[in-house]
Amino acid sequence: MESRRAGVPLSVKLMLTTSVVVALAVAISAWFGQRTIAELARDDVATRRASGEAAIVRESELLAKNVASAAAMPMAQQAFGEVGPLIEATVREYPRIRWVAIASDGKLVAATADAPAVAFDDFVDLGPAAIGHRRLAADRPDWIYGGAIRIGGQVLGQVRLGISTADLDAELAATLARADHKATASLRSVWLVALALLVIGLVVAAIQGIRAGRPLRALASSAERIAAGDLATRVDERRRDEIGALARNFNFMADRLGSLMVEQAAKASMERELALARSVQQGMLPPPDAVQHGQFRIIGHCEPASSCGGDWWTFRKLSAGRLLIVIGDATGHGVHSAIVAGTARGAVEALAEADERLLSPEQILRSIDAAIRNVGEASLLMTAFVAVFDPAAGTIQYANAGQNFPYVMHMEADRRLDKSTIIAASGNPLGDRLIKLDIRRGALQLRPGDLFVAFTDGVVERQAPTGKLFGDRRLRSIFTGRELGADAASLTALRDELWAQIERFAAGTEAQDDITFVLCHYDPPARAVGATG
C-alpha cells in the first residue's frame, strides 16, 4: 500500500508555531513597554511644567508687587529719573526678568532695553495690590505680569514685567529627551531579551518537537506495517505521557486487531462451512417444483431460521402408485438440529432401501427414534408425522410422534376447497431416553380432490412485529374457498401464496423457528367430486 506522509514534519510545525507565538508575545510586550515609558515621561514632563509654571507665577507676582512698591515713592515725588536705575537693578538681580516698563497717565516713564511696545491698558484693574498676567505671544515663552503703582488709594502709574520661561522649557525638553533615550534603551533591552527568549523557545520547541515527532513517526510507520499485513509489529510504550498512553492504546488495538482477524477468519471459515452444510441440507430436501406420482401431486417448502435447521421433509414413490410422506422437526435450530434431521432422514432412506414392505408409518418412526436416541450426550428430540397414501384403497395410513395435527381440506363440486378434517393423532417426541416411545397411528378415508396439509410449529407460531402469532385459523383460511386446478401449476401457486402470506404477516421480523409445510393433492382422473371414494 502506498504510504501517505505529511508534507511538513510535526516537529517543524511545532517549532514554527512556538516561534510565531513567542515573537508575537515579545512584540506585544515591547510595544506596551515602550508605550508605557513614553506615557510616564509625558506625564512627568507635564507635572514638572505645571509645578515650574506655578513657581514662576508666584515669584513673578511677588516681583511685580515689589517693583510697584519700590517705584511708588519716586512716582509720587515726580522723581522719574530714579525709576530707570531701579528697574535696571531689578533686571540684573533677577535673570528670569527679561524687561521692565513703567508708565504714568498712559506715558512711558521708564523701561529696560528689551521692553516691547506693550499697551498698558491691557490689564484690568483687579483691585488693590492685584497683579495680572498674560502670555505675550503664542510663539514666545514670555509672560507679562503687571499691576497698578499705588500709594494708599491713589493710582500713580502702571508697571509691566516680562518673565521668560525659556529655562523651564529647556529643562523640560532635556527631561523629555532623557526619557526618550531611556525608553529607547529599555526597548533595546526588551528586544535583546525577546531575542534570547525566542532562541530559547526555538531550542525548546525543537527538542520537544523531535521528542514528540519520533514516537509519532514510529506510530505512523507501525500503522503502515499493520495495514500492510504485519500484525506482529508493536511500538515502545514506556513513556509516561499522552504519547505513551497513545502507544499503549495502539499496541492494545494491534493485539485486538490480530485477535479480530483470527476470529474473522474463523468466522468466515465457519460461515463457509455453514453455507456448505445448508447447501447439503437443502440438497437432501425434495425439489421445489410440484411432483406428480400417479393420482397424487406433492409440493412443499422448508425455510431454516438460521444457516441450518432442524425441520425436514421427504417423500418416496412406492409401488402400486402409493406415496410416502415424512415431515419432522428437531428441537431448536442450527447445526445440531440439522445433524439430527440428517440422521432421521438417513434412517428413512436406509429403511426404504432395505425393503419397501418395512415402510409402514409406525416402523419409520421407530427407526428414526432408534437412530437419534443415542446421538450425543443429551437427548435430542424430534417430532415427526408419517403418512402412506394408497390410491387403490383411497386411504391414508399415518402415525404421529408429537407433530402438529395435519388436516385434509375437502373439495366441493366447483373445485373449491371448503371443509376440513383434522388428523388428530398425538404421541410423544422421538429420541427421549427418559420415557417409553408412544406412537399414535390411524387411517383416514380420502375423497377425490382432497388436499393434505402438514406443517411444523414454525408456521403457526410465526410472529408479527406486535408479537401476534400466525395461528392455525389464519393458516386454514388461506385454503378455504380457494379453487384448486387439476394441474401442477395450480398447486405451485397455492404453495407460493401460502409462503407469501406468512412473510407478509411477519413483516420482516426475525424468525424464531424453522418453517416447513407440505401439500399433497389427491386428484384421481375419474372421480365423483364430493362423493366418498
Side-chain angles (χ1 to χ4, degrees), residues 87-143:
I87 60 177
E88 291 288 346
T90 302
V91 171
R92 287 192 301 270
E93 184 177 358
Y94 296 97
R96 195 182 298 277
I97 301 177
R98 298 288 301 277
W99 53 269
V100 179
I102 295 177
S104 178
D105 296 331
K107 296 180 179 180
L108 185 65
V109 174
T112 60
D114 295 333
V118 297
F120 281 83
D121 55 357
D122 287 344
F123 288 90
V124 179
D125 189 359
L126 301 177
I131 299 298
H133 66 276
R134 65 178 175 82
R135 199 173 186 89
L136 180 61
D139 57 346
R140 295 183 58 180
D142 297 343
W143 286 79

Side-chain angles (χ1 to χ4, degrees), residues 298 313-316 323-327 364 385-389 452 454 518-520:
I298 184 172
W313 77 280
T314 186
F315 72 90
R316 188 136 185 132
L323 179 66
L324 169 68
I325 294 179
V326 183
I327 183 171
I364 291 175
F385 183 89
V386 181
V388 176
F389 295 80
F452 171 80
V518 180
L519 307 178
C520 182

